[in-house]
Amino acid sequence: MNTDQALVPVSGFLRQGNGNGNGSSSHPAVALPLHSSDVHSATRQDTWRLTQRTAAPLTDQLVDDILKGRGLSGWLRVVRVGRVLGLLSLYLFLDSYDIRAAFSRRAAARLREAARSRGRVALFQEWSRVIVRQVLDKLIRALRFIVFRGADGSSKKGARLLKQAIWLRESLIGLGPTFIKIGQALGTRGDLLPLSYIKELSALQDQVPAFPTAEAFARIKTELGRSVHEAYAEIDAEPIAAASLGQVYRARLDTGAEVAVKVQRPKLKEIISFDIAILYRLVKLTNFLFPKANENADWEGMLREFHATVFEEMDYAKEGRNADLFRYNFRDWRAVRVPRIYWSHTTSRVLTMEFIRGTKVVDLEALRARRISAMKVNRLLVRSYLKQLLEDGFFHADPHPGNLLVMDSGHLAFFDFGMVGRIAPKLQSQMIDAFFHVVGRDVHGLGQDIINLNFLKPGVNPETIRPVVEGLFKHYLNLKLGEVNFKELTYDLAEVMYEYPFRLPANFTYIMRALMTLEGIGIVTDPEFSFFETAKPYAKEFMLRREGRLFRKLIFDKLTGRENAKRRIEWSKVWKLTKMAAQMYLNG
């Protein structure tokens, strides 16, 4: 497609919007073909504002309205959801109990030392608590043995974990689209789940039961206002893929163009709204009964983030606009492909796009057969994500292998833009600073980044934990990938999370998910893969370009007398940039 005639919904939203700045309309959204000059007229802030989510915020009132009048069926659904999530929580608690037990022993030792200074009564009270904790520890370890039928590393425990993993996958499929979506997200979290769980949940990416084709064709007719055979010259009788929110058919237009037709599942909005309302109530109840459950992760904030994202993903017209914007952002990257959207055959529940064939990025044998280097593909993928995160502020938030294909020509094709992430300019600037400090091995700067990015619980004095953060970074930043024992790293970080006031901010949910999925893909394609080492040269390039533009603006403002007191030239940073540029020139 000619870049100058690309479908890019940026400036077009300014003309089509309803006046409230979000570009929404009561009619099905259609992106108009715009010239690249129109796009350049929209500023970075325009792009950020115009791609904001429009889903109603998740509030107590909204949840009350959704749950009203559900009766017995609603309570039965709550019981089913609560049972699955409760058992999953129990299994994960028991599997990682050793970490908690080690932390509890250290905490108890500190409390005993403090009690000695307060006298015999305090020491007796603390001794009594130790006895209670030891009894509970014995009971939990007995339950752990009964559940897993063996010790860590034993074949019996491995068999039980596999059985639990199969149960979890089948249970999530039985609960429907919302929980399949959650399972897909959990399937990328090797830091949270046992390997058996990860392997089973990965099947949810492309092995989800389909719904009847008759219902899909009826939806196409309703949405497009014409029968399936009027809309398409031909269409397959069976879907070629089924996912959590919809399924895909191969078809052909009257023009001869081969297309993929994505059709949404029936009653999807009602199902997901009800499930999220149940989860909201369960999170509120858990926070009330167990206040510490929300300390190390903002579960309520994450649920709100999931609610906003999944409702955006249900709007196929918005997914099409996301794809067009993503294509425009990569207009100068010949190696990246995004399927063209056919807007004449697209609505909020039916999406028609260019059909692209290719090989999954993790299918190493097929890539070798086509003489395509999996390592080069992986480097391209990492570089493309650095551009999305550090330059565009708009990124594909679901980069699992089913959404990434390598074409026979060697092009990397991205699919499924329903789940995208947006990074506000301020957060993007903070992330770039963090990259700057990682590249420069600036431990003190990284400690400040953790504080700036809100990885601390509210009300905590950052100076009390700064030495801990700096100590961790000082150790691990100086290790190469081959020197890192990831089991030890996971335990170290987990114990720090329990012992110190850290938490994962809600606005990092999808950034972390995307990065961890990329890490998983990278390790499959290259066992020696290190995201940091692979990303470093590209991160430097993006930082130099970004900081160079800012530096030129500051110099211009200074020369013209328009210097802002809040944005003065940081000469120490300029010196670091100069050294970085010199190193890149000499090494290149």
Side-chain angles (χ1 to χ4, degrees), residues 216-218 220-221 224 226-235:
F217 284 5
I220 292 173
K221 181 178 180 180
L224 300 185
R226 46 192 156 156
S227 71
V228 171
H229 297 294
E230 289 174 332
Y232 304 99
E234 60 181 65
I235 187 168

Side-chain angles (χ1 to χ4, degrees), residues 58 75 81 144 198 226 312 342 360 366 379 458 558:
L58 188 61
W75 282 108
V81 171
R144 188 172 185 245
I198 298 297
R226 46 192 156 156
E312 179 180 15
Y342 290 88
K360 284 186 178 181
R379 284 198 292 269
K558 189 174 186 67

Side-chain angles (χ1 to χ4, degrees), residues 222-430:
T222 301
E223 291 294 315
L224 300 185
R226 46 192 156 156
S227 71
V228 171
H229 297 294
E230 289 174 332
Y232 304 99
E234 60 181 65
I235 187 168
D236 288 351
E238 297 295 330
I240 58 173
S244 54
L245 306 187
Q247 57 198 39
V248 180
Y249 294 84
R250 189 198 65 83
R252 195 174 297 277
L253 299 179
D254 290 334
T255 60
E258 190 176 19
V259 295
V261 184
K262 187 175 176 181
V263 187
Q264 194 171 106
R265 289 181 179 273
K267 300 181 180 178
L268 190 63
K269 182 177 179 181
E270 293 82 357
I271 293 170
I272 289 182
S273 295
F274 184 44
D275 286 340
I276 289 178
I278 290 174
L279 291 172
Y280 185 84
R281 283 283 183 259
L282 289 175
V283 167
K284 286 279 192 180
L285 179 63
T286 302
N287 289 344
F288 176 75
L289 296 176
F290 309 101
K292 290 188 176 182
N294 203 45
E295 285 188 351
N296 295 111
D298 182 7
W299 295 110
E300 196 172 319
M302 289 181 187
L303 184 60
R304 286 195 170 94
E305 183 80 1
F306 175 74
H307 170 260
T309 304
V310 78
F311 268 84
E312 179 180 15
E313 194 173 357
M314 282 191 281
D315 184 348
Y316 286 177
K318 192 158 192 177
E319 178 181 341
R321 296 195 295 271
N322 290 338
D324 284 340
L325 178 56
F326 192 92
R327 186 189 308 108
Y328 179 78
N329 288 342
F330 281 87
R331 63 195 179 279
D332 297 326
W333 287 49
R334 294 185 179 181
V336 172
R337 285 285 302 274
V338 177
R340 175 188 173 187
I341 307 300
Y342 290 88
W343 288 102
S344 58
H345 292 69
T346 293
T347 70
S348 60
R349 294 181 178 86
V350 173
L351 177 64
T352 303
M353 65 191 122
E354 177 186 2
F355 192 96
I356 293 179
R357 289 179 171 81
T359 304
K360 284 186 178 181
V361 292
V362 293
D363 191 344
L364 304 186
E365 289 187 9
L367 291 175
R368 277 195 294 268
R370 290 164 176 76
R371 296 187 177 182
I372 296 172
S373 168
M375 291 177 63
K376 288 184 178 179
V377 170
N378 190 46
R379 284 198 292 269
L380 173 61
L381 183 58
V382 170
R383 190 182 181 195
S384 72
Y385 261 86
L386 286 171
K387 171 177 161 54
Q388 295 169 56
L389 295 170
L390 302 183
E391 192 170 283
D392 302 334
F394 177 82
F395 66 96
H396 189 298
D398 196 17
H400 68 75
N403 289 337
L404 299 163
L405 291 181
V406 183
M407 302 168 65
D408 288 348
S409 59
H411 290 83
L412 176 63
F414 284 80
F415 297 88
D416 196 349
F417 294 88
M419 186 176 287
V420 296
R422 299 165 182 81
I423 304 175
K426 180 181 178 182
L427 177 58
Q428 189 183 35
S429 178
Q430 291 172 332

Side-chain angles (χ1 to χ4, degrees), residues 498-509:
Y498 290 130
E499 190 163 357
Y500 296 96
F502 297 109
R503 68 188 299 175
L504 179 66
N507 61 352
F508 264 82
T509 304

